[in-house]
Amino acid sequence: MAFALVAVVVIAGVACAVLARGRADAQRRLAEVSAERARLADQLTAAVTERDDLRGQQEWLTAANHRITADAERQRERADELATRLEAAGPPAEHPGDADDDGLWRLLLAHVARRWGSVVGVPPEGRAVVSGPASAQLAEALTREVERLREEVGVDVDLVPVAAAGEQGAARLGDDPADRVPVLLAAVELLGVLASSCQQVTVEVGDTVTLVGEGRFDPAGELAAVRDRAAAAGVVVGPLVADDEAERVEVSLHPAAPANVAG
């Protein structure tokens, strides 16, 4: 009887141990399943968020593409309209080289206007070139270059208009189509050197362009080099008039000879 009771107790203990182990295994598997479920839920949330983000980006890109396409179409139509108007309004060139010279001149004026406008804050629609003779356009371009250097470099630069002193019908600076582009390029280059090497610069614009620099410091002789390059390019440029003791320098650009003026 006692033996049977002991056997029953032993069997019950073994059963309890087996049940406890099974319960622990079940709880462990349940924890693993819960963790996997949580991981999958996080992945699902991330995937849904990424899908929503991609959908938003797709919608934005689609709208942007529509805007760009519409803007490109408007620009094409405007370009076609301007080309038609230019073709209808443009007069024929009197000489074979006039069209090319005028195109280079307008390109240079537009370049000066763009640099000036970007520095002083003038929008593209306010950068038009003055109508009239090339001498007036040259004066306007130099005025704009002076304003640009004053704002960008910070040097004291002034432009002084000078009344024309030449005879009636005499050649004016910029009248010769073959001369105006080199003259403006030379003036811009000389002005740039003076603005970087002098404390004060004055530009006198009339029948000639005279550039005067005060407080000059140009140990490398850059101004003389630019003056020589301008002369080599065919520009009628006077000699440098320098006063080292007074730290002053002056150089003038002159119109081409009357014989070179297109008639």
Side-chain angles (χ1 to χ4, degrees):
M1 183 70 178
F3 178 77
L5 183 58
V6 171
V8 170
V9 171
V10 170
I11 292 172
V14 172
C16 289
V18 171
L19 289 174
R21 182 179 299 173
R23 181 180 180 184
D25 291 341
Q27 289 177 340
R28 179 176 54 79
R29 287 196 296 269
L30 179 60
E32 292 175 352
V33 170
S34 298
E36 181 68 12
R37 179 181 178 183
R39 186 180 65 81
L40 292 175
D42 291 341
Q43 289 182 350
L44 178 61
T45 301
V48 171
T49 302
E50 183 178 4
R51 181 203 62 187
D52 293 341
D53 290 342
L54 290 175
R55 181 176 297 169
Q57 292 178 11
Q58 181 184 15
E59 292 175 353
W60 183 89
L61 289 173
T62 301
N65 182 60
H66 290 161
R67 290 194 301 271
I68 292 172
T69 302
D71 185 63
E73 183 63 22
R74 287 194 299 270
Q75 294 295 336
R76 186 189 64 79
E77 292 175 355
R78 176 169 174 77
D80 291 342
E81 178 186 357
L82 290 175
T84 303
R85 292 170 59 183
L86 286 173
E87 184 177 357
E94 296 181 2
H95 303 282
D98 285 353
D100 291 340
D101 292 334
D102 187 65
L104 288 174
W105 176 243
R106 292 184 180 279
L107 184 63
L108 179 55
L109 291 177
H111 173 71
V112 173
R114 180 182 57 79
R115 294 202 308 172
W116 162 75
S118 63
V119 171
V120 302
V122 178
E125 60 270 18
R127 303 175 188 175
V129 177
V130 66
S131 59
S135 56
Q137 295 174 340
L138 174 65
E140 180 186 59
L142 289 175
T143 300
R144 290 175 170 181
E145 188 66 10
V146 164
E147 291 179 0
R148 183 189 72 83
L149 289 171
R150 188 183 297 137
E151 292 294 327
E152 188 173 46
V153 182
V155 69
D156 184 4
V157 187
D158 291 317
L159 186 138
V160 180
V162 178
E167 299 178 359
Q168 185 70 22
R172 292 176 60 83
L173 196 62
D175 282 343
D176 188 348
D179 184 53
R180 60 180 64 138
V181 171
V183 164
L184 180 54
L185 281 174
V188 168
E189 284 297 300
L190 290 168
L191 183 55
V193 173
L194 287 172
S196 63
S197 61
C198 298
Q199 297 178 4
Q200 182 177 358
V201 180
T202 303
V203 183
E204 299 178 355
V205 180
D207 288 340
T208 65
V209 172
T210 301
L211 302 101
V212 179
E214 305 281 352
R216 179 193 180 209
F217 182 72
D218 183 17
E222 187 178 3
L223 184 63
V226 173
R227 184 265 167 206
D228 292 343
R229 285 197 293 269
V235 179
V236 184
V237 54
L240 293 183
V241 181
D243 185 341
D244 294 336
E245 183 176 351
E247 297 181 345
R248 184 182 188 278
V249 66
E250 177 180 321
V251 62
S252 296
L253 301 172
H254 305 281
N260 294 333
V261 177

